[in-house]
Amino acid sequence: MHAVIALTDHIRRSMDQGMLTGSVFIDLRKAFDTVDHCLLMEKLCNYGVNDKELDWFSDYLQNREQVFQFGSAFSQHGSVFVRVPQGFILGLLFVLFINDLPNTTVRCNVLMYADDPVLFFSAKKVTLYLC
């Protein structure tokens, strides 16, 4: 609710000032499947996770395999190089992975809600701006 209220309040305040607001709603499908393990480990280091704790995350994420079953047939085992297993704690890893997205834009505002960010911008007239 907080993200929705923040966005609608921004739009309302902009309208009161005679401005238009454009927005892009991003749905990161299979978001957990897009996390690059090396980049995640680098971000964890930047957040101060190191030594044994970093080794624990690395061990958990590295050397993972998956196999698929269709009926009674099984695929061969395959290595997994991207993806964060879903679940409460590991879902937090995904949030850590994307939480600096708002720092990457210059002109746009960014609202983060789990894996569904919204980019928005208000102006007096319609002009093409790149975020």
Side-chain angles (χ1 to χ4, degrees), residues 27-97:
D27 181 14
L28 298 172
R29 289 196 183 192
K30 299 192 179 259
F32 291 86
D33 296 342
T34 64
V35 175
D36 180 286
H37 294 168
C38 292
L39 290 175
L40 177 60
M41 298 306 293
E42 186 177 316
K43 286 192 174 197
L44 288 172
C45 283
N46 291 338
Y47 287 124
V49 176
N50 50 39
D51 301 327
K52 290 182 181 182
E53 293 81 11
L54 189 64
D55 290 343
W56 182 86
F57 281 113
S58 178
D59 185 55
Y60 186 81
L61 294 171
Q62 305 298 322
N63 303 317
R64 297 185 66 83
E65 291 187 342
Q66 64 184 6
V67 64
F68 296 95
Q69 178 183 0
F70 183 74
S72 61
F74 290 88
S75 70
Q76 293 182 1
H77 288 259
S79 296
V80 177
F81 299 104
V82 295
R83 189 168 195 258
V84 175
Q86 294 187 29
F88 176 72
I89 298 299
L90 296 167
L92 292 176
L93 288 178
F94 177 77
V95 172
L96 287 175
F97 189 71

Side-chain angles (χ1 to χ4, degrees), residues 2-3 28 43 50 101 111 126:
H2 181 264
L28 298 172
K43 286 192 174 197
N50 50 39
L101 177 64
L111 279 175
V126 178

